[in-house]
Amino acid sequence: MAQGALPGFRDFYPTEFAQRAYIARIWRDVARRYAFVEYDGPPLEPLELYTRKSGDEIVAQLYNFTDKGGREVALRPEMTPTLARMVAARANALRKPVRWFSLPQLFRYERQQKGRLREHFQLNVDIIGESGVTADAELLAVAIDIMREFGLSPDDVRARVSDRRLLRALLERLGVGDEQLPAVFGIIDKIERQPREVSVEKLSALGVSSESADSLFSLMDGLTLDALRARFGDTPAIAERIADLERYYTYLADLGVAEWVQLDLSIVRGLAYYTGIVFELFDARGEFRAICGGGRYDNLLKSLGGVDLPALGFGMGDVVLGELLRARGLSDVPIGEPDFWVAAAEDGDLRDVMLAATQLRRAGASVEYALRPQTLSKQRKAAFSAGATYFITVGADFAERGSVQVDEVQHVEGAGASLVDRLEEMPKTLASIIALVRDV
Ligand code: HAM
């Protein structure tokens, strides 16, 4: 019996592959528009790269094993440690700030569910070597512009932004001690996905008073920066973070993305290494999991590579994004149907078909023909089911005069669709078609 793919792994038949390629194309286009350059690293890394810094959740999900040389290795569950390692290794030689992007396939042994698989492709965009909020704004603008490029609007997608330093200062004011912070961050990270009583219980188990827990919940309630300043602005550490976030907002407005963005202190990010502004993109109706997540991780290069460079970045997966695009009817992409089907007329010769196809292909068109002699009506049916746009018939007069007959098989929106209109006034020869193909 034929076996399916492993749970959480995908087969990409041409329709699915076309969607994956479409997502990758938009990712690359927008990243390049912001002048990021592409890199890649190995899919298999030393296990240690993740156990040191990524945080317990990701480490529990590792695909790891001992290789035949006795090395402890893991399939990459995320790209950030590889990036940090690569940049740290050449820190002096690289032009700063480093503006790099990558499209790795990542592997996490997660429970398979909506929006979560055991492999996914993830756009990573990172800036290394700039500590100012200008870089935070530039980074978020890339993620949001990608949404726009897919045809989504601020009504479809929200960018929820927070700042771990601000949250830490606020929690300190509520009496949460440094040693409780990582665990409290963990509870806040899950606050939306679990009942309030559960969060309160966990907080109280950590020694957080019920009064502080109530204040903490009130912080998660869509506060504005003004409201925060009115309540807590007399604490210098908090006032400083608020001023920084205000600058951030100003730059986001300059970059044309402010209307997508909202402050949301429940965003802390699951990964351990974030240090500053963090964000996640969600569909506005709250039907799907996070589309994208990222933020500042100023200490990771130092702890992984001994180089003290500030850094920030995000990861955007193809799974949730694909689900959202499908739900909004925005993922109907062609699988790469041929421009032309070349057919032999009843008096035609298959070898003339090949000659004609070759010339069209050299001109840049995609061309298919029947690989065995067939009746004209069969060839027409085949052209239709292949999704070809034009049907070229080659008859006995092709060899001498290059003349052919062209019909539209199906109307396809786009550049080539006007070809038939233009051909109406043209002599119907292969040369004239090729001239038009070169023109498009
Ligand atoms: P992350 O939040 O773990 O961050 O993943 C980023 C995005 O990847 C998620 O929002 C989600 O869309 C997608 N994703 C993650 N896990 C899965 C999964 N099992 N199945 C499908 N999609 C998934 C990071 O990985 C950080 N390293 C991102 C980053 C880059 N931070 C700084 N630079």
Side-chain angles (χ1 to χ4, degrees):
M1 204 179 82
Q3 286 199 327
L6 285 168
F9 284 76
R10 292 169 290 178
D11 291 326
F12 289 92
Y13 287 84
T15 307
E16 290 90 46
F17 191 88
Q19 288 176 0
R20 174 177 138 195
Y22 170 63
I23 287 175
R25 180 169 65 75
I26 301 279
W27 280 350
R28 282 201 168 90
D29 283 357
V30 178
R32 286 179 183 145
R33 216 177 283 166
Y34 281 76
F36 285 75
V37 292
E38 191 164 355
Y39 71 98
D40 201 357
L44 198 65
E45 289 275 23
L47 176 64
E48 210 204 22
L49 188 63
Y50 307 109
T51 49
R52 274 163 59 189
K53 280 289 151 198
S54 291
D56 301 341
E57 194 167 321
I58 262 197
V59 170
Q61 296 169 342
L62 281 172
Y63 270 94
N64 61 302
F65 57 96
T66 312
D67 77 4
K68 288 176 180 167
R71 290 174 208 91
E72 292 300 323
V73 295
L75 286 171
R76 57 186 176 192
E78 58 155 340
M79 197 61 179
T80 314
T82 299
L83 170 73
R85 176 175 66 66
M86 286 171 65
V87 171
R90 295 208 183 156
N92 289 332
L94 294 170
R95 181 173 76 86
K96 264 105 37 249
V98 168
R99 303 166 69 103
W100 283 8
F101 77 95
S102 191
L103 269 64
Q105 187 175 22
L106 305 177
F107 305 88
R108 298 182 189 180
Y109 196 84
E110 293 208 43
R111 197 165 60 79
Q112 190 186 340
Q113 51 188 304
K114 192 173 152 211
R116 283 288 175 274
L117 299 175
R118 289 180 175 170
E119 53 76 24
H120 70 284
F121 290 88
Q122 192 191 84
L123 169 69
N124 276 248
V125 177
D126 292 85
I127 301 175
I128 296 175
E130 176 52 61
S131 58
V133 283
T134 46
D136 296 79
E138 175 91 340
L139 183 75
L140 183 52
V142 179
I144 292 175
D145 244 356
I146 289 171
M147 297 298 109
R148 199 197 319 261
E149 197 66 20
F150 279 114
L152 295 160
S153 75
D155 292 334
D156 300 306
V157 173
R158 307 298 304 160
R160 295 157 59 179
V161 169
S162 183
D163 179 345
R164 278 199 176 188
R165 284 165 297 184
L166 172 63
L167 188 61
R168 180 181 308 135
L170 288 166
L171 290 173
E172 232 167 64
R173 216 174 116 168
L174 299 182
V176 175
D178 257 1
E179 63 300 336
Q180 296 163 310
L181 262 184
V184 173
F185 276 3
I187 295 168
I188 295 174
D189 185 43
K190 301 215 160 47
I191 220 161
E192 259 190 359
R193 279 174 276 153
Q194 64 193 11
R196 183 170 172 148
E197 312 82 71
V198 178
S199 304
V200 171
E201 220 166 86
K202 286 184 176 168
L203 285 167
S204 111
L206 284 172
V208 177
S209 71
S210 68
E211 205 186 3
S212 295
D214 284 344
S215 305
L216 190 152
F217 275 102
S218 77
L219 290 177
M220 305 298 141
D221 247 8
L223 285 183
T224 61
L225 285 178
D226 285 340
L228 273 180
R229 185 187 288 104
R231 265 176 75 184
F232 303 104
D234 53 339
T235 302
I238 296 176
E240 192 188 309
R241 299 317 313 154
I242 292 175
D244 220 25
L245 279 172
E246 270 167 350
R247 274 194 296 280
Y248 177 60
Y249 267 103
T250 310
Y251 299 140
L252 289 170
D254 292 340
L255 295 170
V257 297
E259 56 173 331
W260 302 67
V261 182
Q262 69 199 50
L263 181 70
D264 185 336
L265 294 175
S266 71
I267 300 295
V268 294
R269 307 278 299 124
L271 292 152
Y273 47 65
Y274 292 105
T275 54
I277 291 178
V278 286
F279 62 87
E280 285 186 319
L281 264 55
F282 283 90
D283 69 292
R285 296 186 208 162
E287 290 168 39
F288 302 97
R289 305 201 40 162
I291 303 164
C292 163
R296 195 169 262 290
Y297 52 99
D298 282 346
N299 302 330
L300 189 65
L301 272 88
K302 193 157 178 209
S303 57
L304 285 184
V307 177
D308 195 5
L309 277 173
L312 60 159
F314 69 77
M316 182 186 292
D318 67 331
V319 180
V320 179
L321 179 60
E323 286 172 352
L324 176 62
L325 293 176
R326 271 193 296 284
R328 301 284 177 275
L330 295 170
S331 70
D332 200 13
V333 284
I335 62 168
E337 288 84 355
D339 302 316
F340 295 98
W341 186 285
V342 184
E346 305 297 355
D347 62 349
D349 186 335
L350 185 55
R351 290 189 54 200
D352 284 339
V353 168
M354 291 177 173
L355 290 171
T358 301
Q359 289 188 55
L360 281 164
R361 286 170 176 163
R362 296 232 167 121
S366 85
V367 184
E368 187 173 346
Y369 55 86
L371 292 173
R372 55 170 65 179
Q374 277 179 346
T375 62
L376 202 51
S377 75
K378 257 206 152 155
Q379 294 181 77
R380 228 174 242 294
K381 276 193 199 129
F384 184 79
S385 66
T389 312
Y390 301 108
F391 190 76
I392 295 187
T393 317
V394 175
D397 52 353
F398 174 73
E400 217 175 288
R401 274 171 282 152
S403 53
V404 296
Q405 190 195 317
V406 191
D407 307 288
E408 200 175 28
V409 182
Q410 40 220 329
H411 190 73
V412 176
E413 296 297 330
S418 60
L419 197 61
V420 156
D421 301 339
R422 291 158 76 183
L423 276 172
E424 254 148 24
E425 299 112 50
M426 295 274 180
K428 293 187 170 170
T429 61
L430 192 66
S432 62
I433 297 169
I434 284 172
L436 281 177
V437 168
R438 289 198 199 278
D439 220 30
V440 171

